[in-house]
């Protein structure tokens, strides 16, 4: 156990992520909140358990980290709280109230934007007793574990990301985009190896779903390389698997991680999560 600006923490996995202990976010003073933000930037993932938060309070909490980001699709935002997006399989009066299985498949959020989101926060409102874990990969550890020759081969490679491709091919919730969404989400190009602006640490930063090519490497070789790197970075030795409890807040740094949701028996159980994003900057 360690202290960081007055807060107590314990690692989620040695060297990756921390659980913050003894903090009720609704009552946290400025110093405690600064410690929480600091823990996030240093460790890549933070967990706070047993929180009771309204959508307004969640929005206020993520604003401690930066500007809350809008969601690409608006249909499942919480009424009156445009920054809070519902993930759920609940259906009310014949209509789904949230996106179901939205984050299944290894990815980093908003990678199809010029400025992908810095952080993703999930708040557990209702969770199934089994399944629906969220797994987060430490892409700094994955990068650091590569031999220098391999790092040299990968450094400088650029990935072409396409939202249109992602949305038309994804396993859950595939759809053709409206002209407006196409206009708002043109293709973008990001480095395969990303530098963390806080301290310069490097992260292997591939992603499945949105990447359609590695610049200068013809397909299928290019996409095989991306898949190989995602498989490599998401091995158990680099990942933390979160088993949800109601009231959990899990927040991760998209600049140095990949994550995936996992399936659950949606014929028996309901899952409802609130997701918020924090605005990011251009990867380099
Ligand atoms: C996400 O990828 O944003 C959600 C992951 C999850 O639902 O566990």
């Amino acid at each position: 156990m360690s202290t960081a600006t007055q807060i107590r923490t314990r690692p989620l996995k040695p060297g990756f992520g921390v659980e913050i202990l003894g903090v009720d976010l609704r009552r946290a003073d400025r110093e405690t909140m600064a410690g929480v933000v600091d823990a996030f930037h240093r460790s890549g993932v933070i967990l706070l358990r047993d929180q009771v938060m309204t959508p307004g309070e969640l929005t206020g909490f993520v604003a401690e980290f930066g500007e809350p980001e809008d969601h690409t699709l608006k249909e499942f935002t919480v009424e009156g709280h445009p920054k809070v997006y519902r993930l759920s399989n609940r259906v009310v009066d014949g209509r789904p109230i949230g996106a179901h299985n939205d984050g299944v498949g290894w990815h980093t959020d908003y990678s199809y934007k010029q400025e992908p989101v810095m952080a993703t926060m999930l708040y557990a409102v209702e969770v199934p007793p089994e399944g629906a874990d969220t797994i987060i990969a430490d892409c700094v550890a994955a990068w650091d574990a590569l031999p220098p020759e391999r790092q040299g081969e990968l450094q400088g490679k650029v990935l072409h990301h396409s939202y249109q491709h992602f949305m038309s091919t994804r396993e859950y919730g595939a759809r053709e985009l409206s002209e407006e969404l196409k206009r708002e989400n043109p293709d973008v190009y990001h480095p395969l190896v990303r530098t963390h602006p806080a301290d310069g640490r490097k992260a292997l930063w591939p992603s499945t779903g949105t990447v359609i090519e590695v610049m200068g490497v013809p397909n299928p070789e290019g996409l095989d390389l991306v898949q190989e790197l995602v498989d490599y970075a998401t091995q158990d030795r680099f990942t933390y698997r979160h088993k949800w409890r109601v009231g959990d807040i899990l927040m991760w740094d998209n600049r140095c991680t990949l994550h995936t949701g996992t399936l659950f028996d949606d014929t028996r159980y309901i899952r409802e999560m609130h997701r918020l994003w924090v605005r990011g900057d251009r990867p380099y």
Side-chain angles (χ1 to χ4, degrees), residues 168-229:
S168 60
T169 57
R170 64 189 301 195
E171 194 168 355
Y172 303 97
R175 63 164 88 176
E176 291 304 320
L177 295 188
S178 64
E179 288 308 313
E180 190 186 0
L181 276 172
K182 279 185 200 162
R183 249 193 330 276
E184 287 171 1
N185 297 281
D187 288 7
V188 296
Y189 299 83
H190 293 312
L192 168 64
V193 183
R194 187 169 182 181
T195 308
H196 200 291
D199 57 8
R201 65 193 193 269
K202 293 215 186 296
L204 190 58
W205 209 59
S207 188
T208 50
T210 60
V211 175
I212 58 171
E213 65 175 329
V214 180
M215 302 310 289
V217 184
N219 283 329
E221 206 186 313
L223 287 181
D224 289 348
L225 171 65
V226 173
Q227 190 61 54
E228 175 202 315
L229 295 173

Side-chain angles (χ1 to χ4, degrees), residues 87 103 107 109 120 122 133-134 252 259-261 271 275:
L87 304 177
H107 64 286
D109 285 340
T120 300
L122 289 186
D133 302 340
T134 302
W252 58 87
H259 65 276
T260 182
R271 183 184 199 234
R275 180 172 71 197

